[in-house]
Amino acid sequence: MAADSKGMRGRQTVRDMVLSMLAVGFVVWIGYLFLPHDANGDPVRVVEYKVAAASAKRAAPYPLLSPEGLPEKWRATSVAYRPADQNNGKGNAWHLGFVTPSGQYAAIEQSDVSRDSLLADYVKGAKPDGTSEAAGRTWDRLQGEKDRALAVQTGPGTALLTGTASYEELAELAQALK
């Protein structure tokens, strides 16, 4: 009799385990149905930068550059102004990053540190690559290991337009700077 109850208990344990697994599987399946899972969605989180640019223009000790009139396909993804006393000795720094119409990255990096220091931070292995004319300025073209840049002096500061974007897209960004 004891052997019969031991066998019966083993079957009940297996049956209970299978029923528990089915119950948990059902709950997981219901959860999956209600969670958003759009694989074709746009992962870019767009930020508003115009208010930050207006504030930064008042605070910066150099003529701060910010784009006006860029097409909507230029999507701003990051914006920051850090005063020198909050920037670990890297001067007063302005940053505005974009995803370009071609899906590449372009950023405005502007600071009152030396041009060489700014280049070392943002364009590793930068080598001169000619010049470009945009917005009434002559910009130095620089090709890095992975990125490229357009650079120009802005009073006591240096402005870099940098990223994986082509020189043409960087020049389009330069043309919109005010």
Side-chain angles (χ1 to χ4, degrees), residues 33-175:
L33 290 177
F34 288 101
L35 290 176
H37 46 275
D38 182 9
N40 296 326
D42 187 358
V44 175
R45 186 180 69 84
V46 176
V47 298
E48 169 54 47
Y49 65 89
K50 292 180 180 168
V51 172
S55 272
K57 282 184 180 191
R58 288 190 296 276
Y62 47 80
L64 189 126
L65 299 175
S66 177
E68 291 178 17
L70 271 178
E72 283 186 27
K73 291 189 179 207
W74 284 80
R75 298 172 295 163
T77 58
S78 56
V79 61
Y81 178 76
R82 291 175 310 279
D85 63 345
Q86 298 173 10
N87 202 23
N88 300 323
K90 295 194 180 219
N92 297 283
W94 167 241
H95 162 83
L96 180 55
F98 289 93
V99 172
T100 69
S102 70
Q104 296 299 310
Y105 181 72
I108 301 164
E109 304 294 349
Q110 194 173 2
S111 181
D112 52 2
V113 297
S114 75
R115 173 188 160 121
D116 291 341
S117 176
L118 200 60
L119 280 170
D121 284 346
Y122 293 104
V123 188
K124 304 292 184 233
K127 302 278 188 244
D129 194 21
T131 60
S132 290
E133 296 294 324
R137 294 184 173 110
T138 300
W139 296 75
D140 294 326
R141 290 166 51 147
L142 300 138
Q143 181 63 52
E145 294 167 9
K146 296 179 182 176
D147 300 328
R148 62 189 54 83
L150 297 180
V152 71
Q153 279 302 124
T154 55
T158 301
L160 288 182
L161 305 183
T162 186
T164 58
S166 66
Y167 284 128
E168 290 76 21
E169 283 183 316
L170 294 175
E172 183 180 351
L173 178 59
Q175 196 63 41

